[in-house]
Amino acid sequence: MPSSDFSASLPEHFAPVALDKCYRLLNHGPTVLVSAQHDGHANVMAAAWACALDFHPPKVTVVIDKAAFTRGLIEQSGRFALQLPTVPQAALTVALGSTSAHQMPDKLQQHAVPLFASPLHGTPLVAGCAAWLECRLIPESHNQQAYDLFIGEVEGAWADVRVFANGHWQFEHAPDALRTLHYVAGGHFYATGAVVEVEN
């Protein structure tokens, strides 16, 4: 999908997250959508294995199989984004993780994926998510080839202020539809649950 086809506008509740707090967007272990674009082609895939790696500068990791179309876009462009889908996006997340743009070149249109351009580098982002992290690929060819492990430095981060504000998740105050997803297997997810506070 060419970048000019990103028809969604910036979401209403889309707000920047300080980079020294962006690791918190991934700390609770959510399923992510991985997006990238290169040479007029964009794609989005689902990934269950992503996590925060470092604080300064903030870094993340994500496992992307060699068969994934998105992997080639990341390797060629040197950029990708991670975003956290919400409960209403569970079926879309399964669809994006079950179909490949290798076999379905119009995958994003077929699944009606609402994309908008990142305000930082124009990386395609999926509307309706709870948070977004735009990353510069840190090339580590051994890790990528041997383990399918990609490392990115987070250069921009945003969240839906109804569910993440002042550097913290606010799931207990947000609508249930903004809960993030945690993939188990076979199309089975759990939504982020109740808060347990421990005094420290």
Side-chain angles (χ1 to χ4, degrees), residues 11 16 40 103 112 122-123 128 134 138 143 175:
Q103 289 76 40
T123 301
E134 187 175 13
I138 298 174
N143 288 339

Side-chain angles (χ1 to χ4, degrees), residues 52 82 88 108 113:
L82 302 181
L108 300 182
V113 181

Side-chain angles (χ1 to χ4, degrees), residues 13-14 17 24-25 28 84-86 128-132 158-180 192:
H13 304 285
F14 182 84
V17 171
R24 294 178 177 174
L25 298 176
H28 63 299
L84 282 60
T86 56
C129 290
W132 303 261
W158 303 269
D160 187 315
V161 294
R162 295 171 297 171
V163 71
F164 187 93
N166 302 314
H168 296 280
W169 286 108
Q170 310 286 325
F171 290 114
E172 66 272 33
H173 306 297
D176 286 346
L178 289 175
R179 293 184 182 274
T180 55
T192 300

Side-chain angles (χ1 to χ4, degrees), residues 12 20-21 23 29 42 44-45 65 71 81-82 86 98 106 111 115 118 124 135-136 145 167 181 185-186 190 193:
E12 179 183 354
D20 66 343
K21 299 288 190 281
Y23 72 93
V44 182
M45 61 172 279
D65 190 86
R71 178 175 171 145
L82 302 181
T86 56
S98 304
D106 61 346
H111 297 306
L115 294 178
S118 154
C135 306
R136 175 186 64 82
Q145 290 304 310
L181 300 169
Y190 287 97

Side-chain angles (χ1 to χ4, degrees), residues 76-94:
Q76 293 169 49
S77 70
R79 304 201 66 76
F80 64 94
L82 302 181
Q83 44 252 296
L84 282 60
T86 56
V87 169
Q89 296 174 307
L92 176 64
T93 301
V94 170

